[in-house]
Amino acid sequence: MVSSVRIRDGLALRRPTLVAGVLVGASLVLAGCGGTYGAPDPVTEQGKSTLTVWRVFLFGAVAVAALIWVLVLWSVIRYRRRPGPTGNPPQRQYNIPMELGYTILPILAVIGLFGLSMWATSNVDRTSPDPDLTVDVEGFQWQWQFRYPDAGVTVTGTEQARPTLVLPVGRTIRFDLHADDVIHSFWVPEFLEKRDLIPGVDNSIDVEVTEPGEWIGRCAEYCGFNHWLMAFDVKAVPADEFDAWLADASGRAQPMVAGSETAAPAPGGGS
Ligand SMILES: [Cu+2]
């Protein structure tokens, strides 16, 4: 009678461990697979790190939730009340291996997720000492101004014409972010990154766009009545096309002209 109880207890401890192993393994495999699982497809090198964090956290959460449901259901069925004096589960005061397990495993999970977050943050925050291109981004109530200081080109949005931020593919782009009135936030969803523009604070981010394309950026910080107007177009083009556009825009540069259509038409966008 005693040995059969031990065998049952042994099984009782091994099954959840097996289930946990399968779930964690499956989640890691899925996290490494393609698919963005609700996140935008990243179009920058930095965004890939953010996507990795999203995948691992998402599948980690799914695995933990699934494990808990499996354990709850399994306990309910396996240890349901049965008739007779020996039908109830064994009562114990403690179970050292199990208590160590459910203390140490969450701590390891938190350490792992913390390490992953630190890795991604350092990738996203890293700035180059010598970026290929610098763009001064100014948010104001309620539009954006993009300056390419080396070329003397300025693109300013208006209520009628939102500006186009033209970028080269495959180069390190430094965005220096400024605001003089209130806090705004520079956000292109496909970059999987956003950064606040805070009066009196110099914020900078580096981005390397990996593919040509057109996206819409927004202000992600409620900044007043016409906050909703603060959209801008982003157009990423091959580096040589960008150079040609910048030279052309520089040739016709004026100190400040409202609307990207007149100041510096985007490549391929007509003039
Ligand atoms: Cu804003």
Side-chain angles (χ1 to χ4, degrees), residues 230-248:
M230 288 188 66
F232 57 97
D233 293 312
V234 181
K235 183 163 189 170
V237 296
D240 51 350
E241 197 176 326
F242 173 82
D243 290 339
W245 169 80
L246 194 62
D248 181 51

Side-chain angles (χ1 to χ4, degrees), residues 152-236:
V153 172
T154 299
V155 180
T156 308
T158 67
E159 276 189 32
Q160 290 75 33
R162 65 187 187 206
T164 300
L165 173 61
V166 184
L167 302 173
V169 170
R171 289 185 181 165
T172 304
I173 304 160
R174 163 76 43 80
F175 292 118
D176 287 329
L177 308 166
H178 311 282
D180 284 332
D181 44 24
V182 297
I183 298 175
H184 304 273
S185 188
F186 178 79
W187 181 40
V188 181
E190 287 77 8
F191 289 3
L192 296 190
E193 178 182 1
K194 62 185 173 190
R195 192 61 57 97
D196 280 2
L197 293 75
I198 305 169
V201 175
D202 294 326
N203 268 346
S204 294
I205 54 171
D206 277 9
V207 156
E208 186 184 331
V209 181
T210 54
E211 59 188 81
E214 293 181 35
W215 311 283
I216 294 178
R218 300 186 185 282
C219 177
E221 181 77 43
Y222 180 69
C223 57
F225 185 69
N226 279 336
H227 161 71
W228 63 279
L229 279 176
M230 288 188 66
F232 57 97
D233 293 312
V234 181
K235 183 163 189 170

Side-chain angles (χ1 to χ4, degrees), residues 126-134 150 171-174 206-207:
R126 189 179 303 128
T127 50
S128 162
D130 186 25
D132 299 318
L133 171 73
T134 297
D150 294 339
R171 289 185 181 165
T172 304
I173 304 160
R174 163 76 43 80
D206 277 9
V207 156

Side-chain angles (χ1 to χ4, degrees), residues 16 65-80:
L67 174 65
I68 288 170
W69 275 103
V70 166
L71 288 176
V72 167
L73 290 173
W74 177 78
S75 301
V76 165
I77 295 167
R78 171 74 175 78
Y79 294 110
R80 67 190 183 278

Side-chain angles (χ1 to χ4, degrees), residues 23-65:
L23 287 172
V24 169
S27 69
L28 288 176
V29 168
L30 283 170
C33 289
T36 59
Y37 310 102
D41 236 331
V43 297
T44 63
E45 283 299 333
Q46 289 76 5
K48 291 176 185 171
S49 302
T50 313
L51 181 63
T52 301
V53 172
W54 164 241
R55 283 174 174 160
V56 173
F57 270 71
L58 177 70
F59 284 99
V62 169
V64 169

